[in-house]
Amino acid sequence: MRSSVRGPVVNDGEDSTDSTPLLQGARQAEAAPVCCSARYNLAMLAFFGFFVLYALRVNLSVALVDMVESNTTLAENRTSKECADHSAPIKVLRNQTGKRYQWDAETQGWILGSFFYGYIITQIPGGYVASKVGGKLLLGFGILGTSVFTLFTPIAADLGFVALIVLRALEGLGEGVTFPAMHAMWSSWAPPLERSKLLSISYAGAQLGTVISLPLCGIICYYMNWTYVFYLFGIVGIFWFILWMWLVSDTPATHKTISHNEKEYILSSLKNQLSSQKSVPWIPILKSLPLWAIVVAHFSYNWTFYTLLTLLPTYMKEILRFNVQENGFLSALPYFGCWLCMLLSGQAADNLRAKWNVSTICVRRIFTLIGMIGPAVFLIAAGFIGCDYSLAVAFLTISTTLGGFCSSGFSINHLDIAPSYAGILLGITNTFATIPGMIGPVIAKSLTPNNTVKEWQIVFCIAAAINVFGAIFFVLLAKGEVQKWAVSDYHGHKN
């Protein structure tokens, strides 16, 4: 029989109906103020951490254009002649002091993709370690390690492309633990009815890091040289690490300056959602259909995201004929839209749940559908408008912007179904979701040997189809309530 104790709804089975709000009927402590709160301070520090993280990740996509001899690039990647050149007239003498290398298109592909070979390895271990020791140290040292390796990028490039590939893989190892570690921290810090807001704020830093770093890297390469791209962001990452270690705690209970009111509010809101089990229920986790719904959605979303993240500068340069160094903001514009959308959708999602009493699963499904179907439609549209430059940029921007809705959809569903194991669950889903970063750009390159508009149409259509499939799969199998294997009184049978 079900317990008569009032509290958060726990799903008694994967086939049970999920139609109630997450905290319906639960007795809650009075909500602590937002201003100057420890939980929102954590969100802002995490925001800047993920800003640095993505700046370190995408800087090579822009810098590589300047690291490679132009005749090598042109021989292997023939710029399309279908669209007119839109490069701005050069008014300032370009700095060309940076050393250049004879790397062909295949070598460049390996260099860009090597990051993900390290990134995929530490996802699940990162989630597991974070669940045992906390996410603060893991996230902090993950970004610190990536920052230090970034500082050595010019030296590795001088040693040869193999050394650079190894270095980028090591950077991937460091970044691989960050998202699972952050999810593990939020399992202890985020009140259920503030999850969308807090997580969207923290992870929106990744989008802003892309927005700022793409044009900034172009400017640095243009007026200085490409080596300074890696020195600048590496130093910024080390500075962030110092602030993180000084100001952050793993849990509200160990935070030195948190108010008593806020501590009680957070702890009481999570009281009946966290597990006291010391062992991880691996078998029930891997058999959980709601988890696999997130896996498929995450994989599908990242196929489009990583393809554009890696190749959008190439598409802008070789198809639309925009010089990325001179017009870097065009490559950054889609991610600026996504950043805004993440912040606004987080507010909207929590308002729907808290004020309008909309069920958690309904909110997650709606936001996932908008965040995956919408981008698919506009991605196809961008490929079929030919050389209409303004529409192409507009459609690519809208496509990436709408993807921001997923931050309040499947992206945080791990915390809905298993708060205690959210880091591990994210490690599992992100392991699968890293595969598109490894094979998506390679497939896209193989499908565009001549860099024609028709070839890129195929790339966009494939990404759109995968997005639609992922959205439908999630809607059919996702849940919004804590699963029975994720609570402390679960022993393999119903009580």
Side-chain angles (χ1 to χ4, degrees):
M1 294 179 65
R2 293 180 185 270
S3 170
S4 60
V5 177
R6 300 177 72 186
V9 181
V10 177
N11 191 13
D12 280 333
E14 310 245 341
D15 57 345
S16 64
T17 302
D18 181 10
S19 58
T20 55
L22 182 64
L23 296 179
Q24 185 176 1
R27 183 177 64 81
Q28 291 289 297
E30 183 180 351
V34 170
C35 181
C36 302
S37 64
R39 66 191 186 282
Y40 278 88
N41 288 341
L42 172 62
M44 290 307 300
L45 276 169
F47 173 92
F48 288 111
F50 284 101
F51 175 97
V52 172
L53 203 66
Y54 265 64
L56 295 170
R57 181 183 298 196
V58 305
N59 55 13
L60 186 63
S61 297
V62 177
L64 193 63
V65 176
D66 256 23
M67 295 170 68
V68 178
E69 288 286 359
S70 57
N71 60 348
T72 304
T73 303
L74 290 175
E76 297 294 336
N77 300 318
R78 292 189 294 276
T79 301
S80 173
K81 303 299 183 183
E82 296 180 64
C83 302
D85 196 346
H86 278 248
S87 293
I90 298 177
K91 298 179 181 179
V92 181
L93 185 63
R94 182 188 180 101
N95 186 299
Q96 297 182 335
T97 58
K99 189 173 181 180
R100 299 194 174 218
Y101 306 96
Q102 297 283 342
W103 295 334
D104 59 22
E106 183 180 357
T107 301
Q108 293 174 53
W110 279 104
I111 292 171
L112 289 173
S114 57
F115 170 91
F116 298 103
Y117 290 93
Y119 188 71
I120 197 172
I121 293 173
T122 49
Q123 294 292 323
I124 296 176
Y128 179 76
V129 173
S131 71
K132 296 297 182 183
V133 303
K136 174 185 173 179
L137 291 176
L138 203 60
L139 179 59
F141 281 102
I143 295 181
L144 176 66
T146 306
S147 301
V148 171
F149 286 130
T150 297
L151 291 173
F152 287 99
T153 300
I155 297 176
D158 256 352
L159 293 174
F161 72 89
V162 174
L164 183 56
I165 287 173
V166 171
L167 184 77
R168 287 291 290 181
L170 290 173
E171 288 185 33
L173 287 174
E175 286 203 19
V177 303
T178 53
F179 280 95
M182 193 71 247
H183 249 47
M185 289 190 72
W186 281 129
S187 70
S188 299
W189 273 98
L193 293 181
E194 293 186 19
R195 277 177 186 156
S196 300
K197 288 195 287 281
L198 289 168
L199 271 76
S200 63
I201 290 172
S202 58
Y203 294 142
Q207 305 301 326
L208 192 62
T210 304
V211 169
I212 300 298
S213 62
L214 281 174
L216 183 57
C217 288
I219 292 171
I220 293 172
C221 288
Y222 194 90
Y223 293 105
M224 301 170 71
N225 71 58
W226 61 264
T227 60
Y228 290 97
V229 167
F230 304 103
Y231 296 147
L232 171 67
F233 291 115
I235 292 171
V236 170
I238 293 173
F239 176 72
W240 173 87
F241 170 78
I242 295 171
L243 291 178
W244 178 261
M245 297 302 293
W246 180 31
L247 298 173
V248 167
S249 295
D250 274 311
T251 65
T254 58
H255 198 281
K256 295 178 181 178
T257 61
I258 189 173
S259 69
H260 176 74
N261 181 34
E262 183 181 10
K263 183 190 295 185
E264 287 301 309
Y265 166 58
I266 296 172
L267 294 179
S268 65
S269 69
L270 296 172
K271 182 179 178 182
N272 297 319
Q273 295 206 349
L274 299 178
S275 172
S276 60
Q277 297 180 88
K278 293 184 178 180
S279 60
V280 178
W282 289 107
I283 300 301
I285 285 177
L286 295 177
K287 290 170 64 177
S288 175
L289 289 179
L291 170 63
W292 288 104
I294 305 172
V295 168
V296 173
H298 203 167
F299 176 95
S300 303
Y301 175 84
N302 273 19
W303 186 284
T304 299
F305 180 80
Y306 280 137
T307 298
L308 288 181
L309 183 68
T310 307
L311 298 179
L312 190 57
T314 301
Y315 183 76
M316 290 287 189
K317 177 177 181 288
E318 297 181 1
I319 299 297
L320 300 182
R321 306 292 295 280
F322 287 106
N323 187 304
V324 177
Q325 269 65 36
E326 297 169 26
N327 300 284
F329 73 94
L330 291 175
S331 291
L333 189 60
Y335 301 102
F336 178 73
C338 188
W339 172 66
L340 285 177
C341 186
M342 287 179 71
L343 295 177
L344 295 175
S345 66
Q347 296 287 330
D350 280 344
N351 281 337
L352 284 172
R353 297 167 70 215
K355 295 181 179 179
W356 293 88
N357 209 34
V358 179
S359 68
T360 302
I361 187 56
C362 186
V363 171
R364 300 296 179 238
R365 285 169 176 165
I366 291 171
F367 280 66
T368 298
L369 281 172
I370 297 173
M372 296 184 75
I373 302 294
V377 172
F378 283 97
L379 194 58
I380 292 176
F384 281 87
I385 49 87
C387 292
D388 191 326
Y389 310 100
S390 56
L391 272 182
V393 173
F395 287 161
L396 286 170
T397 299
I398 295 172
S399 176
T400 307
T401 297
L402 290 175
F405 278 94
C406 287
S407 66
S408 297
F410 74 82
S411 290
I412 62 174
N413 193 222
H414 317 74
L415 282 159
D416 297 324
I417 65 173
S420 294
Y421 307 107
I424 295 173
L425 265 57
L426 182 63
I428 293 171
T429 66
N430 218 15
T431 296
F432 288 94
T434 301
I435 296 173
M438 299 164 65
I439 65 174
V442 175
I443 292 175
K445 284 275 189 183
S446 67
L447 292 172
T448 56
N450 301 310
N451 277 320
T452 64
V453 172
K454 285 188 176 181
E455 289 173 346
W456 278 93
Q457 287 173 354
I458 297 173
V459 172
F460 291 158
C461 285
I462 291 173
I466 293 173
N467 249 21
V468 171
F469 172 78
I472 295 172
F473 194 91
F474 180 83
V475 166
L476 293 176
L477 295 178
K479 298 290 182 182
E481 299 175 339
V482 180
Q483 301 296 285
K484 62 180 183 180
W485 47 262
V487 290
S488 57
D489 61 351
Y490 175 67
H491 299 292
H493 57 82
K494 293 183 180 180
N495 293 332

